[in-house]
Amino acid sequence: MVDLKMLELYRDLQISINEFDKTTYSFAPPEYYWSVEICKEHVINLLEKYKKKDITHAEVVSWANFILFSEWYRYCEKYQDRIAYILDKLEEIDEQGKELTPKKVEIFISFLKGEFDFEDLKQISNIQ
């Protein structure tokens, strides 16, 4: 069984994926009310830690993929489209072997903070 507290610690980047793996025994999808919420602040925290070089590109990708595919997490409703978009972009950057540049990180953070919308985002080069 997966401990929800461990899911929260991983979401908040307070433990590594390896530490999380040591505590899990089953990855059956949870009941929806047992899942852990991901809000824009959590994704911003991930990007800020990367920007400060507290975590590596590989750790960003691992976190994003785990959140995307584990079914243990759900996006907070108000920002679910923005969160999903950024996590998809992080996965896409990795799959295409591109670099997660400081400029992209800043754009992603600004987008999550609501400083511009999807239409504005389309105007920014190298993000689409």
Side-chain angles (χ1 to χ4, degrees), residues 5-126:
K5 182 64 179 165
M6 296 304 288
L7 289 165
E8 290 171 352
L9 289 172
Y10 183 65
R11 173 199 65 193
D12 299 338
L13 299 166
Q14 294 177 2
I15 61 170
S16 70
I17 191 68
N18 292 334
E19 292 169 300
F20 179 77
D21 281 345
K22 291 177 188 174
T23 67
T24 60
Y25 304 107
S26 168
F27 262 96
E31 295 293 328
Y32 187 75
Y33 60 88
W34 283 0
S35 57
V36 173
E37 189 170 62
I38 298 292
C39 294
K40 68 177 184 168
E41 294 80 12
H42 301 113
V43 183
I44 290 170
N45 181 48
L46 172 80
L47 295 170
E48 291 284 354
K49 284 184 178 285
Y50 177 74
K51 187 168 78 170
K52 291 187 269 180
K53 299 183 183 194
D54 291 341
I55 60 174
T56 66
H57 177 87
E59 290 170 312
V60 169
V61 170
S62 177
W63 188 90
N65 284 333
F66 191 78
I67 300 302
L68 278 168
F69 301 117
S70 72
E71 297 185 29
W72 285 103
Y73 297 93
R74 70 184 184 289
Y75 307 146
C76 61
E77 195 172 321
K78 185 174 181 181
Y79 296 100
Q80 66 186 359
D81 291 342
R82 288 176 187 259
I83 294 166
Y85 180 85
I86 296 301
L87 293 180
D88 285 343
K89 283 295 178 187
L90 291 173
E91 181 191 20
E92 183 180 294
I93 286 169
D94 181 59
E95 284 179 353
Q96 295 176 357
K98 294 181 180 178
E99 184 182 351
L100 180 56
T101 64
K103 180 180 178 182
K104 286 180 185 175
V105 169
E106 286 301 323
I107 291 168
F108 290 164
I109 290 170
S110 294
F111 177 67
L112 287 164
K113 288 180 176 180
E115 294 173 7
F116 50 86
D117 61 21
F118 282 99
E119 289 303 314
D120 296 329
L121 191 60
K122 291 177 185 176
Q123 303 294 324
I124 300 170
S125 63
N126 298 323

